[in-house]
Amino acid sequence: MTLHVLILCTHNSARSVLAEGMLNHLAQQRGLDVKAHSAGSAPSGRLNPFALEALSAAGIDTQAYRSKSWDEFTGPDAPPLSVVITVCDSAAAETCPVFFGGVGQQPVKVHWGYPDPSNAEGGDEGKRRAFELTRQAIGYRLLQLLALPLGQMQRDEIQAALTAIGQS
């Protein structure tokens, strides 16, 4: 059964897109049945070109990516979410809609905050460096997530493990 992970950021243009790309890439490399999605509470409607550049440089195809609303994940056609991760502080502070997990289950929710690489100083090179460092930091946490025996863990154990990863 596919494990669906939703990554949220306010505009769904940078950090959440980096996380979606990295999680799908890393899971595929490891032959794991994990599918990442990303969305935002106030999607910008465009993806940050530096995020796309960082993912492409890591060998990740971003053609199908788009900025979308978290509302797409609240309806009856939405995938059953197991985990919801916020990656920006403003999205973490917002009241999230109700997301549905498996039968009668709510997904585990956790906050892994990252500074916004879009605000990096140093012109385009500074932004490129910030996006690459953010991609790597996100990837490090996602590798830890993928190393967990999620199929054998109880909901509270998953919550505790993901919270600990976010604090590392």
Side-chain angles (χ1 to χ4, degrees):
M1 184 173 105
T2 302
L3 177 84
H4 290 276
V5 178
L6 178 61
I7 300 124
L8 300 175
C9 200
T10 303
H11 300 297
N12 188 217
S13 65
R15 290 164 283 182
S16 55
V17 174
L18 289 171
E20 176 184 16
M22 288 305 297
L23 185 53
N24 283 328
H25 179 72
L26 294 168
Q28 183 181 21
Q29 279 185 329
R30 286 154 183 72
L32 299 172
D33 196 9
V34 175
K35 174 71 175 147
H37 312 272
S38 69
S41 57
S44 67
R46 67 170 200 85
L47 300 177
N48 188 299
F50 292 106
L52 297 176
E53 186 179 305
L55 289 170
S56 294
I60 299 167
D61 180 11
T62 60
Q63 284 187 327
Y65 288 19
R66 63 187 175 85
S67 177
K68 56 200 162 297
S69 171
W70 63 12
D71 293 339
E72 291 188 27
F73 296 90
T74 61
D77 296 331
L81 301 171
S82 298
V83 176
V84 175
I85 302 170
T86 54
V87 291
C88 71
D89 293 339
S90 56
E94 293 172 341
T95 302
C96 287
V98 174
F99 297 112
F100 297 98
V103 181
Q105 293 259 357
Q106 283 292 304
V108 170
K109 295 177 185 164
V110 67
H111 176 61
W112 292 351
Y114 300 93
D116 187 351
S118 304
N119 295 331
E121 295 180 7
D124 286 356
E125 283 312 306
K127 287 188 186 346
R128 275 189 186 91
R129 190 169 36 261
F131 271 87
E132 177 56 22
L133 291 172
T134 302
R135 184 194 69 75
Q136 290 176 21
I138 288 170
Y140 177 73
R141 284 182 175 165
L142 294 173
L143 283 170
Q144 293 175 74
L145 180 152
L146 291 172
L148 295 171
L150 294 170
Q152 303 159 21
M153 297 172 73
Q154 297 300 315
R155 187 180 192 285
D156 59 334
E157 293 173 315
I158 295 171
Q159 181 73 60
L162 296 181
T163 299
I165 290 169
Q167 295 168 345
S168 66

